[in-house]
Amino acid sequence: AVVSTQSTGDCCRVGAKKSTTIRPVKFTLSSCDMVTQVLRKARLLRSKDGFKSVYVCPDRTVEERRAYKKLIIELKLKREAEPDKFFTIRNNKIVSNSVNSQAASEAAS
């Protein structure tokens, strides 16, 4: 998704500047349609060279961020406890598939 300079409002780095970490970039868009378009196309960035570790996430309130952080912790614990299954977050819930069925579905596509 190409975002023109007319559709972006504000763009800045978040957090204190440290030489050891990369700070996230926060940017605003002028319309909800642009936000939806960027979020839908964001996963395509990972297939481009230099963007393998880029992650785009939607706006979240403080409460939503706390709940999502708890989900991430729970996800990591489940992955450690059951390494033979593939866990991911879908619709604010942790869902799982076995690694074999995940590999089969990737091979089919």
Side-chain angles (χ1 to χ4, degrees):
V2 176
V3 179
S4 68
T5 55
Q6 296 171 347
S7 60
T8 58
D10 185 30
C11 182
C12 63
R13 292 262 179 196
V14 179
K17 189 174 186 176
K18 296 178 186 176
S19 61
T20 58
T21 61
I22 298 172
R23 297 182 298 158
V25 176
K26 174 185 172 184
F27 67 98
T28 57
L29 298 170
S30 60
S31 72
C32 292
D33 293 335
M34 285 300 300
V35 171
T36 303
Q37 181 181 2
V38 168
L39 289 172
R40 282 185 181 159
K41 301 277 185 169
R43 66 183 173 84
L44 300 176
L45 273 176
R46 292 192 196 117
S47 64
K48 305 292 182 193
D49 289 337
F51 294 97
K52 302 272 186 224
S53 62
V54 171
Y55 178 74
V56 179
C57 63
D59 276 350
R60 292 191 176 102
T61 64
V62 175
E63 188 175 304
E64 288 172 330
R65 287 191 297 252
R66 286 184 188 134
Y68 191 75
K69 190 171 184 175
K70 286 180 185 178
L71 268 177
I72 294 293
I73 292 168
E74 186 180 337
L75 176 69
K76 288 178 182 180
L77 291 172
K78 284 193 176 213
R79 284 181 176 167
E80 288 176 8
E82 299 179 60
D84 59 324
K85 289 188 176 181
F86 176 78
F87 292 97
T88 189
I89 297 174
R90 295 271 190 255
N91 297 323
N92 295 320
K93 294 178 184 175
I94 297 176
V95 295
S96 69
N97 292 337
S98 68
V99 173
N100 293 337
S101 66
Q102 180 69 19
S105 66
E106 287 176 2
S109 47

